[in-house]
Coordinates of all heavy atoms in Angstrom, one line a residue:
M1 N 68.9 91.2 89.2 CA 69.5 92.2 90.0 C 71.0 92.3 89.5 O 71.6 91.4 89.3 CB 69.6 91.7 91.4 CG 69.8 92.8 92.5 SD 71.4 92.7 93.2 CE 71.5 94.4 93.7
K2 N 71.3 93.6 89.3 CA 72.7 93.9 88.8 C 73.5 94.7 89.8 O 72.9 95.5 90.5 CB 72.6 94.7 87.5 CG 72.0 93.9 86.3 CD 72.0 94.8 85.1 CE 70.9 94.5 84.2 NZ 70.7 95.5 83.2
I3 N 74.7 94.5 89.8 CA 75.6 95.3 90.6 C 76.6 96.0 89.6 O 77.2 95.3 88.8 CB 76.5 94.5 91.6 CG1 75.6 93.7 92.5 CG2 77.4 95.4 92.4 CD1 76.3 92.6 93.4
T4 N 76.7 97.3 89.7 CA 77.7 98.0 88.8 C 78.6 98.8 89.7 O 78.2 99.4 90.7 CB 77.0 98.9 87.8 OG1 76.2 99.9 88.5 CG2 76.1 98.2 86.8
V5 N 79.9 98.8 89.3 CA 80.9 99.5 90.1 C 81.6 100.4 89.2 O 82.2 100.0 88.1 CB 81.9 98.5 90.7 CG1 83.0 99.2 91.5 CG2 81.2 97.4 91.5
S6 N 81.7 101.7 89.5 CA 82.4 102.7 88.7 C 83.9 102.5 88.8 O 84.4 101.9 89.7 CB 82.0 104.1 89.1 OG 82.6 104.5 90.3
D7 N 84.6 103.1 87.8 CA 86.1 103.0 87.8 C 86.6 103.6 89.1 O 87.5 103.0 89.7 CB 86.7 103.7 86.6 CG 86.4 103.0 85.3 OD1 86.0 101.7 85.4 OD2 86.5 103.6 84.3
R8 N 86.1 104.7 89.5 CA 86.6 105.4 90.7 C 86.3 104.7 92.0 O 87.1 104.6 92.9 CB 86.1 106.9 90.8 CG 86.6 107.7 91.9 CD 88.2 107.8 91.8 NE 88.7 108.4 93.0 CZ 89.3 107.8 94.0 NH1 89.4 106.5 94.0 NH2 89.8 108.4 95.0
A9 N 85.1 104.0 92.0 CA 84.8 103.2 93.2 C 85.7 102.0 93.3 O 86.2 101.6 94.3 CB 83.3 102.8 93.2
S10 N 86.0 101.4 92.1 CA 86.9 100.3 92.1 C 88.3 100.6 92.6 O 88.9 99.9 93.4 CB 87.0 99.8 90.6 OG 88.0 98.7 90.5
K11 N 88.7 101.8 92.2 CA 90.0 102.3 92.7 C 90.0 102.4 94.2 O 90.9 102.1 94.9 CB 90.4 103.6 92.0 CG 91.7 104.2 92.4 CD 92.0 105.4 91.6 CE 93.3 106.0 92.1 NZ 93.6 107.3 91.4
W12 N 88.9 103.0 94.8 CA 88.8 103.1 96.2 C 88.8 101.8 96.9 O 89.5 101.6 97.9 CB 87.4 103.8 96.6 CG 87.3 104.1 98.0 CD1 87.7 105.2 98.7 CD2 86.7 103.2 99.0 NE1 87.5 105.0 100.1 CE2 86.8 103.8 100.3 CE3 86.1 102.0 98.9 CZ2 86.3 103.3 101.4 CZ3 85.6 101.4 100.1 CH2 85.7 102.1 101.3
F13 N 88.1 100.8 96.4 CA 88.2 99.4 97.0 C 89.6 98.9 97.0 O 90.0 98.3 98.0 CB 87.2 98.5 96.4 CG 85.7 98.7 96.8 CD1 84.9 99.4 96.0 CD2 85.3 98.2 98.0 CE1 83.5 99.6 96.4 CE2 84.0 98.4 98.4 CZ 83.1 99.1 97.6
H14 N 90.3 99.1 95.9 CA 91.7 98.6 95.9 C 92.6 99.3 96.8 O 93.3 98.7 97.6 CB 92.2 98.7 94.4 CG 91.9 97.6 93.5 ND1 92.6 96.5 93.4 CD2 90.8 97.5 92.7 CE1 92.0 95.7 92.5 NE2 90.9 96.3 92.1
E15 N 92.5 100.6 96.8 CA 93.4 101.5 97.6 C 93.0 101.6 99.1 O 93.9 101.4 100.0 CB 93.5 102.9 97.0 CG 94.2 102.9 95.6 CD 94.2 104.2 95.0 OE1 93.7 105.2 95.5 OE2 94.8 104.3 93.9
D16 N 91.8 101.9 99.4 CA 91.4 102.2 100.8 C 91.1 101.0 101.5 O 91.3 100.9 102.8 CB 90.3 103.2 100.8 CG 90.7 104.6 100.4 OD1 91.4 104.8 99.4 OD2 90.5 105.5 101.2
M17 N 90.5 99.9 100.9 CA 90.3 98.7 101.6 C 91.4 97.7 101.4 O 91.4 96.7 102.1 CB 89.0 98.0 101.1 CG 87.7 98.8 101.6 SD 86.2 97.9 101.3 CE 86.4 96.4 102.3
G18 N 92.4 98.1 100.6 CA 93.6 97.2 100.4 C 93.3 95.9 99.8 O 94.0 94.9 100.0
L19 N 92.3 95.9 98.9 CA 92.0 94.6 98.2 C 92.8 94.4 97.0 O 93.0 95.3 96.2 CB 90.5 94.6 97.8 CG 89.5 94.7 99.0 CD1 88.1 94.8 98.5 CD2 89.7 93.6 100.0
D20 N 93.3 93.2 96.8 CA 94.1 92.8 95.7 C 93.2 92.0 94.7 O 92.2 91.5 95.1 CB 95.3 92.0 96.1 CG 96.3 92.7 96.9 OD1 96.5 93.9 96.6 OD2 96.8 92.1 97.9
D21 N 93.7 91.8 93.5 CA 93.0 90.9 92.6 C 92.7 89.6 93.2 O 93.5 89.0 93.9 CB 93.8 90.7 91.3 CG 93.9 92.0 90.5 OD1 93.3 93.0 90.9 OD2 94.5 92.0 89.4
G22 N 91.5 89.1 92.9 CA 91.1 87.8 93.5 C 90.4 87.8 94.7 O 89.9 86.8 95.2
R23 N 90.3 89.0 95.3 CA 89.5 89.2 96.6 C 88.1 89.5 96.3 O 87.6 89.6 95.1 CB 90.1 90.4 97.3 CG 91.5 90.3 97.7 CD 91.8 89.3 98.8 NE 90.9 89.3 99.9 CZ 91.1 90.1 101.0 NH1 92.2 90.9 101.2 NH2 90.2 90.0 102.0
G24 N 87.2 89.6 97.3 CA 85.8 89.8 97.2 C 85.2 90.7 98.2 O 85.8 90.9 99.3
V25 N 84.1 91.3 97.9 CA 83.4 92.2 98.8 C 81.9 91.7 98.8 O 81.3 91.6 97.8 CB 83.4 93.6 98.4 CG1 82.6 94.5 99.3 CG2 84.9 94.1 98.4
R26 N 81.4 91.4 100.0 CA 80.0 90.9 100.2 C 79.2 92.1 100.7 O 79.6 92.8 101.7 CB 79.9 89.8 101.2 CG 78.5 89.3 101.5 CD 78.4 88.1 102.3 NE 79.3 88.0 103.4 CZ 79.0 88.3 104.7 NH1 77.7 88.6 105.0 NH2 79.9 88.2 105.6
F27 N 78.1 92.3 100.1 CA 77.1 93.4 100.6 C 75.9 92.7 101.2 O 75.5 91.6 100.7 CB 76.6 94.2 99.4 CG 77.7 95.0 98.8 CD1 78.4 94.6 97.7 CD2 78.1 96.3 99.3 CE1 79.5 95.3 97.1 CE2 79.1 97.0 98.7 CZ 79.8 96.5 97.6
Y28 N 75.4 93.3 102.2 CA 74.2 92.7 102.9 C 73.4 93.8 103.7 O 73.9 94.9 103.9 CB 74.7 91.6 103.9 CG 75.7 92.1 105.0 CD1 75.2 92.4 106.2 CD2 77.0 92.1 104.7 CE1 76.1 92.8 107.2 CE2 77.9 92.6 105.6 CZ 77.5 92.9 106.9 OH 78.4 93.3 107.8
G29 N 72.2 93.4 104.1 CA 71.4 94.3 104.8 C 71.7 94.2 106.3 O 71.9 93.1 106.8
K30 N 71.7 95.3 107.0 CA 72.0 95.4 108.4 C 70.9 96.1 109.2 O 70.4 97.1 108.7 CB 73.4 96.1 108.6 CG 73.9 96.2 110.0 CD 75.3 96.8 110.0 CE 75.2 98.3 110.3 NZ 76.4 98.9 110.5
V31 N 70.6 95.6 110.3 CA 69.6 96.3 111.2 C 70.1 97.6 111.6 O 71.3 97.7 112.0 CB 69.2 95.4 112.4 CG1 68.2 96.1 113.3 CG2 68.6 94.1 111.9
Y32 N 69.3 98.6 111.7 CA 69.6 100.0 112.1 C 70.1 100.8 110.9 O 70.8 100.3 110.1 CB 70.5 100.1 113.3 CG 70.1 99.4 114.5 CD1 70.8 98.3 115.0 CD2 68.9 99.8 115.2 CE1 70.3 97.6 116.1 CE2 68.5 99.2 116.3 CZ 69.2 98.1 116.8 OH 68.7 97.4 117.9
G33 N 69.7 102.0 110.8 CA 70.2 102.9 109.8 C 69.0 103.1 108.8 O 67.9 102.9 109.1
K34 N 69.5 103.6 107.6 CA 68.5 103.9 106.6 C 69.2 104.0 105.2 O 70.3 104.3 105.1 CB 67.9 105.3 106.9 CG 66.8 105.8 106.0 CD 66.3 107.1 106.5 CE 65.2 107.5 105.5 NZ 64.6 108.8 105.9
T35 N 68.4 103.6 104.2 CA 68.8 103.7 102.8 C 67.7 104.5 102.1 O 66.6 104.7 102.7 CB 69.0 102.4 102.1 OG1 67.7 101.8 101.8 CG2 69.8 101.4 102.9
P36 N 67.9 105.0 100.9 CA 66.8 105.6 100.2 C 65.6 104.8 100.0 O 64.5 105.3 99.8 CB 67.4 106.0 98.8 CG 68.9 106.0 99.1 CD 69.1 105.0 100.1
V37 N 65.7 103.5 100.2 CA 64.5 102.6 100.0 C 64.2 101.7 101.2 O 63.2 101.0 101.2 CB 64.7 101.7 98.7 CG1 64.9 102.5 97.5 CG2 66.0 100.8 98.9
H38 N 64.9 101.8 102.3 CA 64.7 101.1 103.5 C 64.8 102.0 104.7 O 65.7 102.8 104.8 CB 65.7 100.0 103.7 CG 65.7 99.0 102.6 ND1 66.6 99.0 101.6 CD2 65.0 97.8 102.5 CE1 66.4 98.0 100.8 NE2 65.4 97.2 101.3
D39 N 63.8 101.9 105.6 CA 63.9 102.6 106.9 C 64.1 101.6 108.0 O 63.4 100.6 108.1 CB 62.6 103.4 107.1 CG 62.8 104.5 108.1 OD1 64.0 104.9 108.4 OD2 61.8 105.0 108.6
G40 N 65.2 101.8 108.8 CA 65.5 100.8 109.9 C 66.5 99.8 109.5 O 66.9 99.0 110.3
F41 N 67.0 99.9 108.2 CA 68.1 99.0 107.8 C 69.1 99.8 107.0 O 68.7 100.7 106.3 CB 67.5 97.9 106.9 CG 66.5 97.0 107.6 CD1 65.2 97.2 107.6 CD2 67.0 95.9 108.3 CE1 64.3 96.4 108.2 CE2 66.1 95.0 109.0 CZ 64.8 95.3 108.9
S42 N 70.3 99.3 107.0 CA 71.4 100.0 106.2 C 72.1 99.0 105.4 O 72.1 97.8 105.7 CB 72.3 100.8 107.1 OG 72.9 100.0 108.0
L43 N 72.9 99.5 104.4 CA 73.7 98.6 103.6 C 75.0 98.4 104.3 O 75.7 99.4 104.8 CB 73.9 99.3 102.2 CG 74.8 98.6 101.3 CD1 74.2 97.2 100.8 CD2 75.0 99.4 100.0
A44 N 75.5 97.2 104.4 CA 76.8 96.9 105.0 C 77.6 96.1 104.0 O 77.1 95.6 103.0 CB 76.6 96.1 106.3
L45 N 78.9 96.1 104.2 CA 79.9 95.4 103.4 C 81.0 94.8 104.2 O 81.3 95.4 105.3 CB 80.4 96.2 102.3 CG 81.3 97.5 102.6 CD1 82.7 97.1 102.7 CD2 81.0 98.6 101.7
T46 N 81.6 93.8 103.7 CA 82.7 93.2 104.4 C 83.6 92.4 103.4 O 83.0 91.9 102.4 CB 82.2 92.2 105.5 OG1 83.4 91.7 106.3 CG2 81.5 91.0 104.9
P47 N 84.9 92.4 103.5 CA 85.7 91.6 102.6 C 85.3 90.1 102.8 O 85.1 89.6 103.9 CB 87.1 91.8 103.1 CG 87.1 93.1 103.9 CD 85.7 93.2 104.5
D48 N 85.0 89.5 101.7 CA 84.6 88.1 101.7 C 85.0 87.5 100.4 O 84.4 87.8 99.4 CB 83.2 87.9 102.0 CG 82.7 86.5 102.3 OD1 83.4 85.6 101.8 OD2 81.7 86.3 103.0
D49 N 86.0 86.6 100.4 CA 86.6 86.1 99.1 C 85.9 84.8 98.7 O 86.4 84.2 97.7 CB 88.1 85.8 99.3 CG 88.8 87.0 99.8 OD1 88.4 88.2 99.5 OD2 89.9 86.9 100.5
H50 N 84.9 84.3 99.4 CA 84.3 83.0 99.0 C 82.8 83.1 98.8 O 82.0 82.8 99.7 CB 84.6 82.0 100.2 CG 86.1 82.0 100.5 ND1 87.0 81.3 99.6 CD2 86.8 82.4 101.5 CE1 88.2 81.4 100.1 NE2 88.1 82.1 101.3
P51 N 82.4 83.6 97.7 CA 80.9 83.7 97.4 C 80.3 82.3 97.4 O 80.7 81.4 96.8 CB 80.9 84.3 96.0 CG 82.2 84.9 95.7 CD 83.2 84.1 96.6
E52 N 79.2 82.3 98.2 CA 78.4 81.0 98.4 C 77.0 81.4 98.3 O 76.6 82.4 98.8 CB 78.7 80.3 99.7 CG 80.1 79.8 99.8 CD 80.4 79.1 101.2 OE1 79.4 78.9 101.9 OE2 81.5 78.8 101.4
R53 N 76.2 80.6 97.7 CA 74.7 80.8 97.5 C 74.5 82.2 97.1 O 73.9 83.0 97.8 CB 74.0 80.5 98.8 CG 74.1 79.0 99.2 CD 73.3 78.7 100.4 NE 73.9 77.5 101.0 CZ 74.4 77.4 102.2 NH1 74.4 78.5 103.0 NH2 74.9 76.3 102.7
V54 N 75.0 82.6 95.9 CA 75.0 83.9 95.4 C 73.7 84.3 94.8 O 73.1 83.6 94.0 CB 76.1 84.1 94.4 CG1 76.1 85.5 93.7 CG2 77.5 83.9 95.1
Y55 N 73.2 85.5 95.2 CA 72.0 86.1 94.6 C 72.4 87.0 93.4 O 71.8 86.9 92.4 CB 71.2 86.9 95.7 CG 70.2 87.8 95.1 CD1 69.1 87.3 94.4 CD2 70.2 89.2 95.4 CE1 68.1 88.1 93.9 CE2 69.2 90.0 94.9 CZ 68.2 89.5 94.2 OH 67.2 90.3 93.7
A56 N 73.5 87.8 93.6 CA 74.0 88.6 92.5 C 75.5 88.8 92.7 O 75.9 88.8 93.8 CB 73.3 90.0 92.5
K57 N 76.2 88.9 91.5 CA 77.6 89.2 91.7 C 78.1 89.8 90.4 O 77.5 89.7 89.3 CB 78.4 88.0 92.0 CG 78.7 87.0 90.9 CD 79.6 85.9 91.4 CE 79.9 84.9 90.3 NZ 80.9 83.9 90.7
T58 N 79.2 90.6 90.5 CA 79.9 91.1 89.3 C 81.3 91.2 89.7 O 81.7 91.2 90.8 CB 79.3 92.5 89.0 OG1 79.8 92.9 87.7 CG2 79.7 93.6 90.0
E59 N 82.2 91.2 88.6 CA 83.6 91.4 88.8 C 84.1 92.6 88.2 O 83.6 92.9 87.0 CB 84.3 90.2 88.3 CG 85.8 90.2 88.6 CD 86.6 89.0 88.2 OE1 86.0 87.9 88.3 OE2 87.7 89.2 87.6
K60 N 84.9 93.4 88.8 CA 85.5 94.6 88.3 C 86.9 94.7 88.7 O 87.2 94.7 89.9 CB 84.7 95.8 88.7 CG 85.2 97.2 88.4 CD 84.6 97.7 87.2 CE 85.1 99.1 87.0 NZ 84.9 99.6 85.6
D61 N 87.8 94.8 87.8 CA 89.2 95.0 88.1 C 89.8 94.0 89.0 O 90.5 94.3 90.0 CB 89.5 96.4 88.6 CG 89.1 97.5 87.6 OD1 89.2 97.3 86.4 OD2 88.6 98.6 88.0
G62 N 89.3 92.7 88.9 CA 89.9 91.6 89.7 C 89.2 91.4 91.0 O 89.5 90.5 91.7
I63 N 88.2 92.2 91.4 CA 87.5 92.1 92.6 C 86.1 91.6 92.3 O 85.4 92.1 91.4 CB 87.4 93.4 93.4 CG1 88.8 94.0 93.6 CG2 86.6 93.3 94.7 CD1 89.7 93.2 94.5
T64 N 85.6 90.6 93.1 CA 84.2 90.1 93.0 C 83.4 90.8 94.0 O 83.7 90.7 95.2 CB 84.2 88.6 93.2 OG1 85.0 88.0 92.2 CG2 82.8 88.1 93.1
Y65 N 82.3 91.4 93.6 CA 81.3 92.1 94.4 C 80.1 91.2 94.4 O 79.6 90.9 93.3 CB 81.0 93.5 93.9 CG 82.3 94.4 93.8 CD1 83.1 94.4 92.7 CD2 82.6 95.2 94.9 CE1 84.2 95.2 92.6 CE2 83.8 96.0 94.8 CZ 84.5 96.0 93.7 OH 85.7 96.8 93.6
W66 N 79.6 90.9 95.6 CA 78.5 89.9 95.6 C 77.5 90.1 96.7 O 77.8 90.8 97.7 CB 79.0 88.5 95.5 CG 79.8 88.1 96.7 CD1 81.1 88.4 97.0 CD2 79.4 87.2 97.7 NE1 81.5 87.8 98.2 CE2 80.4 87.0 98.6 CE3 78.2 86.5 98.0 CZ2 80.3 86.2 99.8 CZ3 78.1 85.7 99.1 CH2 79.1 85.6 100.0
I67 N 76.3 89.5 96.5 CA 75.3 89.5 97.5 C 74.8 88.1 97.7 O 74.5 87.4 96.7 CB 74.1 90.4 97.0 CG1 74.6 91.9 96.9 CG2 72.9 90.3 98.0 CD1 73.6 92.8 96.1
P68 N 74.7 87.6 99.0 CA 74.3 86.3 99.2 C 72.7 86.2 99.0 O 72.0 87.1 99.2 CB 74.7 86.0 100.6 CG 74.7 87.3 101.3 CD 75.1 88.3 100.2
E69 N 72.3 85.0 98.7 CA 70.9 84.7 98.5 C 70.1 85.0 99.8 O 69.0 85.5 99.7 CB 70.7 83.2 98.2 CG 69.3 82.8 97.9 CD 68.7 83.3 96.6 OE1 69.5 83.4 95.6 OE2 67.5 83.6 96.5
S70 N 70.7 84.8 101.0 CA 70.1 85.1 102.2 C 69.7 86.6 102.4 O 68.9 86.9 103.3 CB 70.9 84.6 103.4 OG 72.2 85.3 103.4
D71 N 70.3 87.5 101.6 CA 70.0 88.9 101.7 C 69.2 89.4 100.5 O 69.1 90.6 100.3 CB 71.3 89.7 101.9 CG 71.8 89.7 103.3 OD1 71.1 90.3 104.2 OD2 72.8 89.0 103.6
K72 N 68.6 88.5 99.8 CA 67.8 88.9 98.6 C 66.7 89.8 99.0 O 66.4 90.8 98.3 CB 67.2 87.6 98.0 CG 66.3 87.9 96.8 CD 65.8 86.6 96.2 CE 64.8 86.9 95.1 NZ 64.4 85.6 94.4
W73 N 66.1 89.6 100.2 CA 65.0 90.5 100.7 C 65.4 91.9 100.7 O 64.5 92.8 100.5 CB 64.6 90.0 102.1 CG 65.7 90.2 103.1 CD1 66.7 89.4 103.5 CD2 65.9 91.4 103.9 NE1 67.5 90.0 104.4 CE2 67.0 91.2 104.7 CE3 65.2 92.6 104.0 CZ2 67.5 92.2 105.6 CZ3 65.7 93.6 104.9 CH2 66.8 93.4 105.6
F74 N 66.6 92.2 100.9 CA 67.1 93.6 101.1 C 67.3 94.3 99.7 O 67.2 95.5 99.6 CB 68.4 93.6 101.9 CG 68.9 95.0 102.3 CD1 68.2 95.7 103.3 CD2 70.0 95.5 101.7 CE1 68.7 96.9 103.6 CE2 70.5 96.8 102.0 CZ 69.8 97.5 103.0
F75 N 67.5 93.5 98.7 CA 67.9 94.1 97.4 C 66.8 93.8 96.3 O 66.9 94.5 95.3 CB 69.2 93.5 96.9 CG 70.4 93.8 97.8 CD1 70.7 93.0 98.8 CD2 71.0 95.0 97.6 CE1 71.8 93.3 99.6 CE2 72.1 95.3 98.4 CZ 72.5 94.5 99.4
V76 N 65.8 92.9 96.6 CA 64.9 92.6 95.5 C 64.1 93.8 95.0 O 63.8 94.7 95.8 CB 63.9 91.5 96.0 CG1 62.9 92.0 97.0 CG2 63.2 90.9 94.8
G77 N 64.0 93.9 93.7 CA 63.4 95.1 93.1 C 64.3 96.2 92.7 O 63.9 97.2 92.2
Y78 N 65.6 96.1 93.1 CA 66.6 97.1 92.8 C 67.9 96.6 92.3 O 68.3 95.5 92.6 CB 66.9 97.9 94.1 CG 65.7 98.6 94.6 CD1 64.9 98.0 95.6 CD2 65.3 99.9 94.2 CE1 63.7 98.6 96.0 CE2 64.2 100.5 94.6 CZ 63.4 99.9 95.6 OH 62.3 100.5 96.0
D79 N 68.5 97.3 91.4 CA 69.9 97.1 91.1 C 70.8 98.0 92.0 O 70.3 99.1 92.5 CB 70.2 97.5 89.6 CG 69.5 96.6 88.7 OD1 69.2 95.4 89.0 OD2 69.1 97.0 87.6
L80 N 72.0 97.7 92.2 CA 72.9 98.4 93.1 C 74.0 99.1 92.3 O 74.8 98.4 91.7 CB 73.5 97.6 94.2 CG 74.4 98.2 95.2 CD1 73.6 99.3 96.0 CD2 75.0 97.2 96.1
G81 N 74.0 100.4 92.2 CA 75.1 101.1 91.6 C 76.1 101.6 92.6 O 75.6 102.3 93.6
I82 N 77.3 101.4 92.4 CA 78.4 101.8 93.4 C 79.3 102.8 92.7 O 79.9 102.5 91.7 CB 79.1 100.6 93.9 CG1 78.2 99.5 94.5 CG2 80.2 101.0 95.0 CD1 78.8 98.2 94.7
D83 N 79.4 104.0 93.3 CA 80.2 105.0 92.7 C 81.1 105.6 93.9 O 80.9 105.1 95.0 CB 79.3 106.1 92.1 CG 80.1 107.0 91.1 OD1 81.3 106.8 90.9 OD2 79.5 107.8 90.5
Y84 N 81.9 106.5 93.6 CA 82.8 107.1 94.6 C 82.3 108.5 94.8 O 81.9 109.2 93.9 CB 84.2 107.2 94.1 CG 85.1 108.0 95.0 CD1 85.6 107.4 96.2 CD2 85.5 109.3 94.7 CE1 86.4 108.1 97.0 CE2 86.3 110.0 95.5 CZ 86.8 109.4 96.7 OH 87.6 110.1 97.5
D85 N 82.2 108.9 96.1 CA 81.8 110.2 96.5 C 83.0 110.9 97.2 O 83.4 110.5 98.3 CB 80.6 110.1 97.5 CG 80.0 111.5 97.9 OD1 80.7 112.5 97.7 OD2 78.9 111.5 98.4
S86 N 83.5 111.9 96.6 CA 84.7 112.6 97.1 C 84.4 113.4 98.4 O 85.3 113.6 99.2 CB 85.3 113.6 96.1 OG 84.4 114.6 95.7
T87 N 83.1 113.8 98.6 CA 82.8 114.5 99.8 C 82.9 113.7 101.1 O 83.2 114.2 102.2 CB 81.4 115.2 99.8 OG1 80.4 114.1 99.6 CG2 81.3 116.1 98.6
I88 N 82.7 112.4 100.9 CA 82.9 111.5 102.1 C 84.1 110.6 101.9 O 84.4 109.8 102.8 CB 81.6 110.6 102.3 CG1 81.4 109.7 101.1 CG2 80.4 111.4 102.6 CD1 80.3 108.6 101.3
D89 N 84.8 110.7 100.8 CA 86.0 109.9 100.5 C 85.7 108.4 100.6 O 86.3 107.7 101.3 CB 87.2 110.3 101.4 CG 88.5 109.6 100.9 OD1 88.5 109.2 99.7 OD2 89.3 109.3 101.7
G90 N 84.6 108.0 100.0 CA 84.2 106.6 100.1 C 83.1 106.3 99.1 O 82.6 107.2 98.3
P91 N 82.6 105.1 99.1 CA 81.6 104.7 98.1 C 80.2 105.3 98.4 O 79.9 105.6 99.6 CB 81.5 103.2 98.2 CG 82.1 102.9 99.6 CD 83.0 104.0 99.9
K92 N 79.4 105.6 97.4 CA 78.0 105.9 97.5 C 77.2 104.9 96.7 O 77.7 104.3 95.8 CB 77.8 107.3 97.1 CG 77.8 107.5 95.6 CD 77.3 108.9 95.2 CE 77.2 109.0 93.7 NZ 76.4 110.2 93.3
Y93 N 76.0 104.7 97.2 CA 75.2 103.6 96.6 C 73.9 104.2 96.0 O 73.2 105.0 96.6 CB 74.9 102.6 97.7 CG 76.1 102.1 98.3 CD1 76.5 102.6 99.6 CD2 76.9 101.1 97.7 CE1 77.7 102.1 100.2 CE2 78.1 100.7 98.3 CZ 78.5 101.2 99.5 OH 79.6 100.7 100.1
D94 N 73.6 103.8 94.8 CA 72.4 104.2 94.1 C 71.5 102.9 94.0 O 72.0 101.9 93.5 CB 72.7 104.7 92.7 CG 73.5 106.0 92.8 OD1 73.1 106.9 93.6 OD2 74.5 106.1 92.1
W95 N 70.3 103.1 94.4 CA 69.3 102.0 94.3 C 68.5 102.3 93.1 O 67.8 103.3 93.0 CB 68.4 102.1 95.6 CG 69.2 101.8 96.8 CD1 69.9 102.7 97.6 CD2 69.4 100.5 97.5 NE1 70.5 102.1 98.6 CE2 70.2 100.7 98.6 CE3 68.9 99.3 97.2 CZ2 70.5 99.7 99.5 CZ3 69.2 98.2 98.1 CH2 70.0 98.5 99.2
I96 N 68.6 101.4 92.1 CA 68.0 101.6 90.8 C 66.9 100.6 90.6 O 67.2 99.4 90.6 CB 69.0 101.5 89.7 CG1 70.2 102.5 89.9 CG2 68.4 101.7 88.3 CD1 71.5 101.9 89.5
Q97 N 65.7 101.1 90.6 CA 64.5 100.2 90.6 C 64.6 99.4 89.3 O 64.9 99.8 88.2 CB 63.2 101.0 90.6 CG 62.0 100.2 90.9 CD 60.8 101.0 91.4 OE1 60.8 102.2 91.2 NE2 59.8 100.3 91.9
N98 N 64.2 98.1 89.5 CA 64.1 97.2 88.3 C 62.8 96.4 88.4 O 62.0 96.7 89.3 CB 65.3 96.2 88.2 CG 65.4 95.2 89.4 OD1 64.4 94.9 90.0 ND2 66.6 94.8 89.8
D99 N 62.5 95.6 87.5 CA 61.2 94.9 87.4 C 61.2 93.6 88.2 O 60.2 92.9 88.1 CB 60.8 94.6 85.9 CG 60.6 95.9 85.2 OD1 60.2 96.9 85.8 OD2 60.9 96.0 84.0
E100 N 62.2 93.3 88.9 CA 62.3 92.0 89.6 C 61.3 92.0 90.8 O 61.2 93.0 91.5 CB 63.7 91.8 90.1 CG 63.9 90.5 90.8 CD 65.3 90.3 91.4 OE1 66.0 91.3 91.6 OE2 65.7 89.2 91.5
L101 N 60.7 90.9 91.0 CA 59.8 90.7 92.2 C 60.3 89.7 93.1 O 60.9 88.8 92.9 CB 58.4 90.3 91.7 CG 57.7 91.3 90.8 CD1 56.4 90.8 90.3 CD2 57.5 92.6 91.5

């Protein structure tokens, strides 16, 4: 499982979430909502600077983006692409199918 963050999305996390180098963002599955690959669950995020029991992580411009092992069920079979969407002035997420089971 890979996490990719575009340059513009990285800028958004720094500026709009106020994250400085050395900080982290944890992604997880949340009850209620919808994604292109899940019905009844949505993608959530929270600032979290202490990755533990990591399923996937990447670093971009000093920020660590990560997913805990406990949320593997939500992401298995997909890579997560994070880009910036100017129409919502925030991140958009692309679920990219991979061969992981």
